[in-house]
Amino acid sequence: MAKVELKQPIVAAIAEDIKDAQSIVLVDYRGLTVAQDTELRKQLREAGVIYKVCKNTMMKRAFEGTEFAGLDEFLEGPSAIAISKDDATAPARIICNFAKEADKLELKAGVVEGTVYDVAGLTELAKIPSREVLLSRLLGSMQSPITNFARVIKQIAEQDGEAETATEAPAEEATEE
């Protein structure tokens, strides 16, 4: 069996993983301990991110003709790939946060929604909160005026109730005398 025939399924698997991806981040994982690598993989898996260590030539072949072809120049040395199909900023956010603890982990580059970013760009993207956090903030800001209006109405109603009981009490005292 020729070497090319052995490599084709690997290239096809990578191509399948990146087919509908919103973002891809390349990292240099050299120097990570097994425990650190396991923890990183766990965090990425929980966020729905695919994380693989692949040969650079295999990734180059899989990237050919896609929006991820711009990553070819960053494929030097050992590389791992983090692929997200749902949350475009998840791989960058998780890896940047993890790199704060594990200083050996280095970002190389990434593609987020068709745009190639270097390390500085990925670091800025990592600051963007997740989709769920952004939605909850939006709903909170939409709900805030309604909640404040309801509080004001309640306070007005309570004040009117106090005023009515205050006017009723002297009237009752006058009738008793």
Side-chain angles (χ1 to χ4, degrees):
M1 195 177 222
K3 286 186 176 182
V4 174
E5 292 173 357
L6 292 172
K7 294 178 181 179
Q8 283 178 340
I10 298 168
V11 172
I14 297 169
E16 182 62 31
D17 286 339
I18 68 170
K19 189 170 80 174
D20 296 323
Q22 288 190 11
S23 66
I24 288 181
V25 175
L26 293 175
V27 295
D28 184 347
Y29 59 89
R30 284 183 287 191
L32 285 182
T33 65
V34 173
Q36 289 173 327
D37 188 53
T38 304
E39 180 61 27
L40 175 62
R41 287 175 185 269
K42 179 181 174 237
Q43 289 179 18
L44 290 168
R45 189 174 38 254
E46 287 172 355
V49 177
I50 300 167
Y51 180 77
K52 291 183 175 182
V53 175
C54 304
K55 288 189 172 188
N56 293 336
T57 54
M58 304 289 180
M59 286 192 275
K60 282 182 184 180
R61 292 237 169 93
F63 293 164
E64 286 176 4
T66 67
E67 61 188 7
F68 306 112
L71 293 174
D72 287 354
E73 65 184 273
F74 300 101
L75 290 172
E76 293 180 11
S79 299
I81 186 171
I83 305 163
S84 178
K85 295 186 180 204
D86 301 324
D87 187 355
T89 61
R93 188 175 56 253
I94 293 167
I95 292 171
C96 282
N97 287 338
F98 194 81
K100 291 175 186 173
E101 301 167 14
D103 56 342
K104 300 284 186 186
L105 184 67
E106 295 178 22
L107 278 94
K108 289 184 173 184
V111 173
V112 178
E113 295 181 344
T115 306
V116 178
Y117 292 97
D118 60 354
V119 176
L122 286 176
T123 306
E124 285 301 311
L125 280 174
K127 295 176 184 175
I128 298 173
S130 68
R131 184 175 190 271
E132 290 77 23
V133 172
L134 290 173
L135 285 174
S136 66
R137 287 182 184 173
L138 174 67
L139 291 174
S141 65
M142 290 171 59
Q143 188 179 13
S144 179
I146 297 168
T147 305
N148 290 339
F149 179 71
R151 283 191 191 123
V152 169
I153 295 297
K154 182 179 177 190
Q155 288 175 352
I156 292 171
E158 287 174 355
Q159 287 175 354
D160 286 345
E162 290 173 7
E164 286 177 11
T165 55
T167 55
E168 289 174 8
E172 290 174 3
E173 290 175 9
T175 55
E176 289 176 5
E177 293 177 3

